Amino acid sequence: QVRLVESGGGLVQAGDSLTLSCAPSGYTFSSYAMGWFRQAPGKEREFVSAISSSGGRTDYADSVKGRFTISRGNAKNTVYLQMNSLKSGDTAVYYCAAGPRVSRSVYEYWGHGTQVTVSS
């Protein structure tokens, strides 16, 4: 059974940093690209970042480029999202996802999300 479990969310102040983690299980982690998405209240889910199976290719939404960093540790079966200089607009539920390639939309497996709240 495939499971993706996000952790690391919380309440922070604007300008703070936070690192999200996602620990998948039930499939071969190193064979899948990983992505992070977020959904703010009243808005559609949007792409945040993605990383290839090897970690050699990454992609970022313009809104987070230069502030967020995605990484993965294939030995630990974990993908991370380092978020710096957080803004109130980053408040959302953050989801990790696994898919066949780096993409801004096509993913096979999804986690249940972790809440990030940035107070201004």
Side-chain angles (χ1 to χ4, degrees), residues 72-95:
R72 65 188 295 159
N74 283 351
K76 295 184 177 181
N77 275 22
T78 305
V79 62
Y80 305 95
L81 185 68
Q82 171 70 41
M83 305 184 294
N84 297 328
S85 303
L86 283 162
K87 307 173 182 178
S88 57
D90 296 318
T91 295
V93 177
Y94 283 71
Y95 301 88

Side-chain angles (χ1 to χ4, degrees), residues 7 22 31 37 55 73 81:
S7 61
C22 174
S31 297
F37 291 75
L81 185 68

Side-chain angles (χ1 to χ4, degrees), residues 24-101:
S25 61
Y27 69 95
T28 304
F29 176 72
S30 60
S31 297
Y32 280 73
M34 299 297 297
W36 284 97
F37 291 75
R38 67 186 182 186
Q39 187 167 19
K43 295 187 178 181
E44 294 187 354
R45 186 166 59 190
E46 64 174 359
F47 169 79
V48 175
S49 182
I51 188 167
S52 63
S53 58
S54 68
R57 180 188 171 195
T58 58
D59 188 22
Y60 295 93
D62 288 344
S63 59
V64 306
K65 197 172 295 183
R67 300 188 298 122
F68 290 11
T69 302
I70 191 171
S71 62
R72 65 188 295 159
N74 283 351
K76 295 184 177 181
N77 275 22
T78 305
V79 62
Y80 305 95
L81 185 68
Q82 171 70 41
M83 305 184 294
N84 297 328
S85 303
L86 283 162
K87 307 173 182 178
S88 57
D90 296 318
T91 295
V93 177
Y94 283 71
Y95 301 88
C96 72
R101 65 190 64 82

Side-chain angles (χ1 to χ4, degrees), residues 10-21:
L11 173 63
V12 297
Q13 294 188 338
D16 285 352
S17 298
L18 202 61
T19 300
L20 304 183
S21 300

Side-chain angles (χ1 to χ4, degrees), residues 4-7 36-37 93-96 110-116:
L4 283 73
V5 180
E6 301 94 338
S7 61
W36 284 97
F37 291 75
V93 177
Y94 283 71
Y95 301 88
C96 72
W110 293 84
H112 292 290
T114 185
Q115 176 71 48
V116 173

